[in-house]
Amino acid sequence: MGLKKLTAGDGYTYLTRQVAAHDATEKGHGSLGEYYDDKGESPGQWLGSGLTGLGMEPGAAVTAEQMKELFGLGRHPDAGSLQAAVAARGGSKSEVEAAATLGRRFPVFMAASSFNVQVARAFTAFNIDRGAKWNAVIPLAERARIRTDIGTAMFTERHGRTPTDSRELAGSISRASRQATSAVAGYDLTFSPVKSISTLWALAPVEVAEQIRAAHDAAVADTIGWIEREVAFTRVGRAGARQVRVRGLIGAAFTHRDSRAGDPDLHTHVALSNKVQAEDGRWLALDGRLLYKANVAASERYNTRIEAELTARLGLEFVEASGPVDKRPIREIAGVSLALAAWWSRRRRDVEIRRSTLAAEFQDRHGRPPTAVEAISLADQAALETRDAKHAPRSEAEQRANWRHEAEAVLGGPAEVDEMLKRAPGRRSRGERLTKTWIEEAAAATI
């Protein structure tokens, strides 16, 4: 399970851009709605027992406006309609404001840094000089050159000397590019099963694929429930001296079908709000330190639960497969081709290899490593350059047809794929009788 912070203001758009751009980090589509229309994905869904305090139900569709209110401003997801209703009843200004309030609003610092202001002006001047629209897209090489020139000039003015090496220059530009820190709006939890699960899900008949998706959803829900029971606390008192329980968490779940490289990659992003309600009804902040401490335990719980769900639903058997030498073995589905799973993982590695090459070329050309923003652009370029020439499939049906074609090419033909699909489900006997002896032996082996 991956874990990242989401900052207030527009920091949460990191996540919604990923949804709208196929797990990439570029801007992608203009809205979540466009993404769902183009990709045929189901909209994100609200989850968490903390929704009760908002008068909302789990399973409702997530909108971009709701994300902006909760994760951008720290207000009720339906702030607009709630305030309009109070105003229509003749409520006072304070009553209208209180209708959407969830404790303190997030402090957001919007002022751009001096470096970013100068870069923006230089970008505008560059476009005007070449007769283009002021905000036209500028090639990465030109943008990097402008950033390097401005960063070098600012460093020289501040320190009375030029940077001693590329690392010093890159560090200076990176620091100068940062905005003032905003509050933590929430956390992005990413749940990804092992590759053999996505491989089987991508090729299996519809009824089997639906059971795999249901197992994944159940494992995510179980893990979020465990986090609510064991990890979700807030702090009260002077300097947050006392830790107290909360009434649950509020989250928005977005499930994707594939990776940036177009490989089958069933996974879910859960954006957990930093707004939690203490048992006395006050809206406070989630104690994020505990979430980070529980990251490994939550990840292991998800892995254990999805394995148990798939064993119960489909009779799948999991066995240890070789992984990195410095890590423990990974448990994969017995009967699913590891060569095929590795093939679909290789395409992602192709993007990373090309990105590394582009980053090295960038270093040679500009005399410094790329900043975080420039690294994103290089990753986008790498994804485009390593993508197949034909148009990437969009609907799930198109994706599955393409994945089937690729699997037949890797395994040797349709018969080999069909044989794999017959082999995997039902390997483990279901309905095994649980006797006292069996339980005692299993307990002893576990201990």
Side-chain angles (χ1 to χ4, degrees):
M1 183 191 79
L3 176 61
K4 294 182 179 178
K5 284 183 181 180
L6 300 173
T7 56
D10 61 358
Y12 75 97
T13 59
Y14 138 79
L15 176 62
T16 53
R17 281 200 306 269
Q18 283 195 319
V19 175
H22 215 198
D23 263 357
T25 45
E26 72 273 17
K27 290 184 179 178
H29 298 273
S31 70
L32 293 180
E34 291 177 16
Y35 169 77
Y36 296 133
D37 290 342
D38 287 349
K39 299 296 298 179
E41 294 276 14
S42 300
Q45 294 185 328
W46 290 106
L47 55 73
S49 56
L51 290 169
T52 302
L54 299 176
M56 298 173 63
E57 294 289 335
V62 178
T63 68
E65 184 62 28
Q66 288 177 323
M67 289 291 290
K68 177 182 177 181
E69 291 289 354
L70 181 59
F71 291 94
L73 302 174
R75 306 201 310 165
H76 193 291
D78 297 324
S81 58
L82 291 175
Q83 290 183 319
V86 173
R89 294 197 301 266
S92 64
K93 183 177 180 180
S94 61
E95 289 173 332
V96 170
E97 180 63 26
T101 299
L102 301 179
R104 295 179 181 177
R105 292 188 64 160
F106 293 140
V108 179
F109 306 96
M110 303 301 292
S113 68
S114 174
F115 175 82
N116 288 336
V117 170
Q118 291 191 44
V119 168
R121 289 172 178 168
F123 284 176
T124 300
F126 176 86
N127 279 328
I128 292 175
D129 288 345
R130 65 175 181 158
K133 189 177 178 182
W134 70 271
N135 61 347
V137 176
I138 300 174
L140 175 60
E142 289 298 331
R143 282 182 280 149
R145 179 189 60 78
I146 292 171
R147 286 174 172 272
T148 300
D149 291 346
I150 293 175
T152 302
M154 290 184 67
F155 183 96
T156 303
E157 181 181 356
R158 182 178 297 114
H159 299 283
R161 62 175 177 83
T162 58
T164 55
D165 54 26
S166 62
R167 178 174 295 183
E168 186 174 43
L169 174 59
S172 176
I173 291 176
S174 179
R175 289 189 295 273
S177 301
R178 296 173 188 158
Q179 297 297 103
T181 303
S182 295
V184 175
Y187 302 87
D188 172 19
L189 281 55
T190 306
F191 296 90
S192 301
V194 294
K195 197 65 180 183
S196 59
I197 293 178
S198 289
T199 299
L200 183 60
W201 166 81
L203 299 171
V206 173
E207 60 274 13
V208 175
E210 288 177 347
Q211 287 295 318
I212 295 173
R213 169 64 188 270
H216 167 72
D217 292 344
V220 171
D222 178 90
T223 306
I224 294 297
W226 176 81
I227 292 173
E228 285 188 316
R229 294 189 304 273
E230 305 294 337
V231 184
F233 289 84
T234 187
R235 305 195 76 90
V236 298
R238 187 178 181 86
R242 190 159 58 93
Q243 194 178 68
V244 298
R245 291 190 174 277
V246 300
R247 295 181 177 178
L249 297 172
I250 301 166
F254 304 91
T255 299
H256 299 181
R257 295 190 298 259
D258 56 359
S259 70
R260 180 189 187 118
D263 304 328
D265 185 19
L266 178 66
H267 63 287
T268 297
H269 290 280
V270 176
L272 286 184
S273 174
N274 197 33
K275 292 290 186 180
V276 289
Q277 195 172 23
E279 292 182 330
D280 62 6
R282 287 183 295 169
W283 286 97
L284 302 169
L286 179 67
D287 188 350
R289 295 173 299 178
L290 296 180
L291 191 59
Y292 278 98
K293 288 182 179 179
N295 189 11
V296 173
S299 181
E300 289 301 316
R301 186 177 184 91
Y302 165 77
N303 291 336
T304 301
R305 290 312 307 158
I306 192 170
E307 183 173 326
E309 287 282 345
L310 289 172
T311 299
R313 293 168 183 268
L314 297 171
L316 299 179
E317 180 181 357
F318 285 77
V319 296
E320 291 187 352
S322 59
V325 292
D326 59 336
K327 296 183 179 180
R328 67 181 181 82
I330 299 171
R331 291 178 61 80
E332 300 279 7
I333 300 174
V336 173
S337 170
L338 296 183
L340 180 57
W343 168 264
W344 275 326
S345 298
R346 193 190 74 173
R347 293 183 60 187
R348 178 180 291 184
R349 290 197 297 271
D350 288 343
V351 175
E352 288 303 308
I353 291 171
R354 181 56 184 155
R355 184 197 60 77
S356 297
T357 301
L358 291 173
E361 293 174 352
F362 183 100
Q363 169 91 35
D364 293 340
R365 186 181 302 114
H366 301 287
R368 62 176 177 84
T371 64
V373 173
E374 292 161 344
I376 290 173
S377 295
L378 293 177
D380 298 341
Q381 182 179 341
L384 290 173
E385 291 181 1
T386 55
R387 187 172 293 161
D388 291 340
K390 67 178 183 178
H391 192 278
R394 292 186 179 279
S395 70
E396 184 171 357
E398 290 172 319
Q399 286 175 317
R400 289 188 176 278
N402 188 62
W403 292 332
R404 173 75 190 208
H405 177 76
E406 290 180 353
E408 291 175 0
V410 173
L411 297 183
E416 285 74 7
V417 177
D418 291 338
E419 178 62 25
M420 183 190 74
L421 295 177
K422 289 179 183 177
R423 252 193 342 256
R427 289 174 64 97
R428 173 167 288 184
S429 173
R430 281 176 279 181
E432 183 175 358
R433 191 161 171 260
L434 298 182
T435 64
K436 180 180 179 181
T437 301
W438 186 94
I439 293 172
E440 290 175 347
E441 291 177 351
T446 301
I447 294 172

